[in-house]
Structure formats: structure tokens, C-alpha cells
Amino acid sequence: MKDAGFILGSYFVTLGAILVFAFVTLRRAKESSQSVDEKDKTWL
């Protein structure tokens, strides 16, 4: 039980890094989609 803090801290750091990565990726995708013409947006 003495390593529980380290283990939980590692989980929180990992989860935080994944959430930050997802947020930055989605934000950049939204910004870059603004520069594409409407006719080229085949995913809509």
C-alpha cells in the first residue's frame, strides 16, 4: 500500500496527458477545417 500514491498519480498523469492531447487535436482539426472549401468537405 505504500506505492498506492505513486500508482494513482501515474494514472492521473496519464489520463491528463491523453485528455490534453485529445483536446488539442480536436481544436486543431476544427481550426484547419475552416480553411477547406464547402465543396471539398466530403465527410459532411
Side-chain angles (χ1 to χ4, degrees), residues 24-43:
V24 170
T25 301
L26 291 174
R27 187 178 59 169
R28 289 182 66 194
K30 184 177 180 181
E31 290 173 359
S32 66
S33 71
Q34 300 298 323
S35 64
V36 178
D37 292 334
E38 288 295 323
K39 65 179 178 135
D40 294 330
K41 292 182 181 178
T42 57
W43 62 86

